[in-house]
Amino acid sequence: MASKTTTTITPKRIAHSPSLQSLKKPIIPKEFGGKVPTVIRQRYLNLFIEECLKFCTSNQEAIEKALNEEKVAYDRSPSKNIYLNVAVNTLKKLRGLAPSTVPSLSKTSGRRVVSHEVVLGGRLATKTSFSLSRPSSPRVEDLKGAALYSRLKEYLLTQDQLKENGYPFPHPERPGGAIIFTAEEKRPKDSSCRTCCRCGTEYLVSSSGRCVRDEECYYHWGRLRRNRVAGGWETQYMCCSAAAGSVGCQVAKQHVQDGRKERLEGFVKTFEKELPGDTHPGIYALDCEMSYTTYGLELTRVTVVDTDVHVVYDTFVKPDNEIVDYNTRFSGVTEADLADTSVTLRDVQAVLLSMFSADTILIGHSLESDLLALKVIHSTVVDTSVLFPHRLGLPYKRSLRNLMADYLRQIIQDNVDGHSSSEDAGACMHLVIWKVREDAKTKR
């Protein structure tokens, strides 16, 4: 009788990292009215620790790194949805530092190893990616040059849309003047009286525009948002989750005003230009940053990018009036940036008028705000705040950060030092090209 011989292969010994079950688990402290529920923060902290245990040299190092990563994600996120996006990015980054955990079948047991993304978000989660860094320009294939320009004509704002969104128009009687159809006509009785655009307090200014009294400004930099709570809804500020009407969570040295809609002079208008038959008037995305002066909000930086998201013009600008607040949280502009700058608003207007014609397509997010800062009148525009409208309609508008996260799965404006005009301009170009390509697919 033939005997059957079996060979036993001794499996390799695998060193297993300690799990949370054998560690003293750190607990996220409960925060009343927090912008992100504690249970969600705790869930991601646990996941961060599990990943850190795979490559850190000690349990304590893994816990400290995970706590730090979770805190950074929380500090960068004004809302729960943004936190979830940032947390998923962080988890991917940590997984990149650890041994690969791509779903696969184990050769020894046949058991499927499932990744964290599949556990958290289902099967579609592995096909969805988020990026903290601005990616390379998307492939536009045949949608370039004249073909892209022709397609974008379908998305241009109409005259009615320009008016209802507050775009500047030439004043019918004053040369160099502008008119805004949404601007309120009432003005304060006293010309020296101003209303702070951050806290709403009335204050007095001298003939030079400086505050008469030294008075601190307490304000909320975040918008009001309705959140569901036990028993109904509650309106809270996104910056600190405080209730509507509460004292501001931020303090500035003095009150400030916007002023752009009150002083509508010094405007220039793009004009018609003759072009060779084989060219088009151009497509650019534009974004501006502004700081508070004794005049109000004035231009301090402008960036223009082309359809390949290459910066073609970027400069800091010295405002005409004295700066009282650099508005760095939003503008990203600091005193050092403007220290050696001699470029003026007139210089910028001259450059833009040479670059653009009346038929050049300009792309931006709430572009009327940028045109008011530039004091430029231009009506051939594609506005991403109109292209991707808020479900409640005007005056509500979706933020550029929110649009990029929802449609392109990219996180922008996550720098604590303020916004970047080049990043925002590039984001607008990405969104518009994505929209054109998606619409083209549905028409096939």
Side-chain angles (χ1 to χ4, degrees):
M1 181 182 296
S3 62
K4 187 175 181 181
T5 303
T6 59
T7 302
T8 303
I9 300 177
T10 304
K12 294 182 180 179
R13 297 182 63 186
I14 301 176
H16 295 280
S17 300
S19 66
L20 286 178
Q21 296 177 353
S22 61
L23 294 176
K24 185 177 180 181
K25 184 167 59 175
I27 304 298
I28 297 289
K30 290 187 177 181
E31 181 182 3
F32 178 75
K35 57 188 177 182
V36 181
T38 304
V39 64
I40 294 179
R41 294 184 63 190
Q42 188 66 54
R43 181 196 312 160
Y44 277 98
L45 175 61
N46 295 345
L47 291 171
F48 293 168
I49 294 175
E50 288 184 2
E51 294 301 332
C52 291
L53 286 170
K54 297 176 182 179
F55 60 85
C56 289
T57 56
S58 67
N59 297 348
Q60 187 60 32
E61 180 187 352
I63 291 175
E64 290 178 357
K65 181 170 180 59
L67 284 169
N68 181 65
E69 293 287 355
E70 196 283 328
K71 184 178 184 303
V72 170
Y74 181 75
D75 291 343
R76 287 180 172 180
S77 307
S79 66
K80 183 183 76 172
N81 289 338
I82 297 299
Y83 175 85
L84 292 172
N85 293 342
V86 176
V88 169
N89 278 318
T90 304
L91 190 60
K92 288 193 170 189
K93 179 184 71 175
L94 295 176
R95 289 187 62 218
L97 299 174
S100 177
T101 56
V102 176
S104 62
L105 289 174
S106 170
K107 291 183 180 180
T108 57
S109 64
R111 183 167 53 88
R112 181 174 293 275
V113 180
V114 183
S115 70
H116 287 305
E117 281 112 329
V118 173
V119 174
L120 292 172
R123 294 183 178 180
L124 291 179
T126 56
K127 299 179 181 179
T128 304
S129 63
F130 289 80
S131 174
L132 281 172
S133 58
R134 185 158 56 94
S136 58
S137 178
R139 292 180 58 194
V140 295
E141 297 176 354
D142 58 326
L143 291 177
K144 287 187 177 182
L148 179 60
Y149 182 88
S150 177
R151 191 67 64 87
L152 284 176
K153 285 184 175 180
E154 303 173 18
Y155 302 91
L156 295 178
L157 266 62
T158 65
Q159 287 288 307
D160 289 340
Q161 287 176 319
L162 291 168
K163 290 179 179 179
E164 68 183 1
N165 282 277
Y167 276 80
F169 282 79
H171 196 283
E173 299 174 357
R174 294 199 318 267
I179 183 172
I180 301 175
F181 289 91
T182 56
E184 297 182 3
E185 290 297 329
K186 65 176 183 178
R187 297 192 179 188
K189 298 178 181 178
D190 188 350
S191 60
S192 63
C193 183
R194 301 282 185 271
T195 300
C196 181
C197 61
R198 292 191 294 208
C199 69
T201 301
E202 288 191 350
Y203 64 102
L204 297 176
V205 297
S206 64
S207 57
S208 64
R210 301 228 19 124
C211 293
V212 173
R213 294 196 305 262
D214 291 334
E215 187 175 274
E216 292 181 331
C217 173
Y218 291 87
Y219 67 98
H220 293 282
W221 60 262
R223 298 177 181 176
L224 283 171
R225 188 177 213 176
R226 293 186 67 205
N227 296 317
R228 186 183 292 276
V229 297
W233 293 84
E234 189 175 72
T235 303
Q236 299 175 330
Y237 289 100
M238 293 177 61
C239 50
C240 61
S241 299
S246 61
V247 177
C249 60
Q250 302 291 314
V251 59
K253 293 182 179 180
Q254 69 174 72
H255 299 297
V256 292
Q257 62 170 335
D258 187 322
R260 288 173 298 170
K261 295 182 179 180
E262 285 76 33
R263 297 178 177 88
L264 298 175
E265 65 278 338
F267 277 73
V268 296
K269 187 178 185 298
T270 52
F271 49 88
E272 301 286 342
K273 294 181 182 179
E274 291 187 7
L275 298 172
D278 58 343
T279 62
H280 61 87
I283 307 166
Y284 299 98
L286 180 150
D287 187 72
C288 295
E289 305 297 349
M290 289 148 271
S291 301
Y292 291 105
T293 71
T294 54
Y295 169 95
L297 271 177
E298 288 192 63
L299 180 73
T300 46
R301 186 182 180 185
V302 57
T303 304
V304 181
V305 303
D306 60 16
T307 53
D308 293 320
V309 196
H310 295 152
V311 175
V312 295
Y313 182 60
D314 183 22
T315 183
F316 289 105
V317 185
K318 184 178 181 179
D320 294 336
N321 300 277
E322 178 187 357
I323 293 179
V324 296
D325 191 325
Y326 285 87
N327 197 30
T328 304
R329 175 183 289 277
F330 295 103
S331 69
V333 177
T334 64
E335 183 177 1
D337 293 328
L338 302 182
D340 300 322
T341 299
S342 59
V343 177
T344 67
L345 176 61
R346 265 69 57 197
D347 297 329
V348 173
Q349 289 175 332
V351 171
L352 296 184
L353 289 182
S354 67
M355 291 177 60
F356 308 149
S357 73
D359 295 319
T360 299
I361 295 178
L362 292 185
I363 297 170
H365 188 77
S366 294
L367 191 58
E368 79 283 354
S369 176
D370 302 298
L371 294 179
L372 285 172
L374 291 166
K375 291 185 178 291
V376 170
I377 297 173
H378 185 81
S379 58
T380 311
V381 300
V382 176
D383 194 326
T384 51
S385 71
V386 179
L387 197 61
F388 302 92
H390 194 284
R391 61 184 179 83
L392 298 177
L394 291 174
Y396 301 99
K397 291 185 177 183
R398 299 183 66 184
S399 68
L400 183 60
R401 177 186 174 114
N402 178 273
L403 293 178
M404 288 295 288
D406 279 2
Y407 291 100
L408 298 188
R409 300 295 188 265
Q410 298 167 21
I411 304 300
I412 64 169
Q413 300 175 352
D414 65 326
N415 193 331
V416 295
D417 295 327
H419 295 185
S420 166
S421 53
S422 59
E423 180 183 53
D424 290 355
C428 291
M429 184 64 76
H430 281 304
L431 277 170
V432 170
I433 292 179
W434 176 86
K435 174 67 172 174
V436 171
R437 288 172 55 80
E438 288 299 305
D439 289 351
K441 291 178 183 177
T442 61
K443 292 179 181 180
R444 290 175 183 174

